[in-house]
Amino acid sequence: LFPKSVCVSANEVICHGIPDDRVIEDGDIINLDVTVFVHGMHADLNETFFIGNVDADSRMLVRTAFDCLKNAIEMVRPGTMYRDLGTAISKTARKNKCSVVTTYCGHGVHELFHTAPNVPHYARNKAVGSM
């Protein structure tokens, strides 16, 4: 069993959606956030999927989120400041007429779940540390 290991977020739910009896429908965008606990370490990852015929705005939103992630990953190397990732992500989002949610952030892989380093996805954040 894997209790509490998958969050399912539909459409406007930003993240950490709890699966319920809602039926997934044509045109939905669904984000799966999968958590693992291996060798005493917590980690998670997520991916967004199109269900059937998804409208152009939803496709653009998901594409922009992917581009934000890709641009941040391209910066990953020793010495990169965690706060600089948020600047790159915000720039990509703005270029595509999107905004960045400031309530949630990325995080490290650790013995504790959702812990340091915190990696905000927005510009002008105060994240400390470097890779």
Side-chain angles (χ1 to χ4, degrees), residues 47-87:
E47 184 64 63
T48 302
F49 299 92
F50 297 128
I51 307 301
N53 300 304
V54 176
D55 65 69
D57 285 344
S58 295
R59 287 182 179 280
M60 188 272 306
L61 174 66
V62 172
R63 181 67 205 191
T64 297
F66 178 82
D67 289 345
C68 289
L69 173 64
K70 181 174 71 76
N71 291 341
I73 287 172
E74 288 173 357
M75 297 176 64
V76 173
R77 66 183 57 80
T80 298
M81 301 293 291
Y82 292 116
R83 68 175 158 250
D84 293 342
L85 299 174
T87 302

Side-chain angles (χ1 to χ4, degrees), residues 5-110:
S5 63
V6 176
C7 293
V8 180
S9 303
N11 302 318
E12 73 280 351
V13 177
I14 296 165
C15 67
H16 302 145
I18 305 302
D20 58 19
D21 60 357
R22 180 194 185 283
V23 175
I24 296 172
E25 299 176 353
D26 184 61
D28 284 345
I29 55 174
I30 303 294
N31 181 272
L32 300 179
D33 186 351
V34 180
T35 300
V36 295
F37 182 69
V38 178
H39 304 299
M41 303 296 278
H42 294 272
D44 65 344
L45 58 88
N46 72 79
E47 184 64 63
T48 302
F49 299 92
F50 297 128
I51 307 301
N53 300 304
V54 176
D55 65 69
D57 285 344
S58 295
R59 287 182 179 280
M60 188 272 306
L61 174 66
V62 172
R63 181 67 205 191
T64 297
F66 178 82
D67 289 345
C68 289
L69 173 64
K70 181 174 71 76
N71 291 341
I73 287 172
E74 288 173 357
M75 297 176 64
V76 173
R77 66 183 57 80
T80 298
M81 301 293 291
Y82 292 116
R83 68 175 158 250
D84 293 342
L85 299 174
T87 302
I89 290 167
S90 289
K91 181 179 177 182
T92 302
R94 277 194 315 273
K95 181 178 83 174
N96 291 292
K97 298 184 173 74
C98 291
S99 60
V100 176
V101 174
T102 60
T103 310
Y104 301 102
C105 66
H107 55 82
V109 173
H110 199 272

Side-chain angles (χ1 to χ4, degrees), residues 99-130:
S99 60
V100 176
V101 174
T102 60
T103 310
Y104 301 102
C105 66
H107 55 82
V109 173
H110 199 272
E111 293 169 348
L112 301 174
F113 195 40
H114 289 155
T115 190
N118 290 319
V119 185
H121 302 144
Y122 52 92
R124 295 180 299 283
N125 66 73
K126 297 182 182 354
V128 296
S130 63

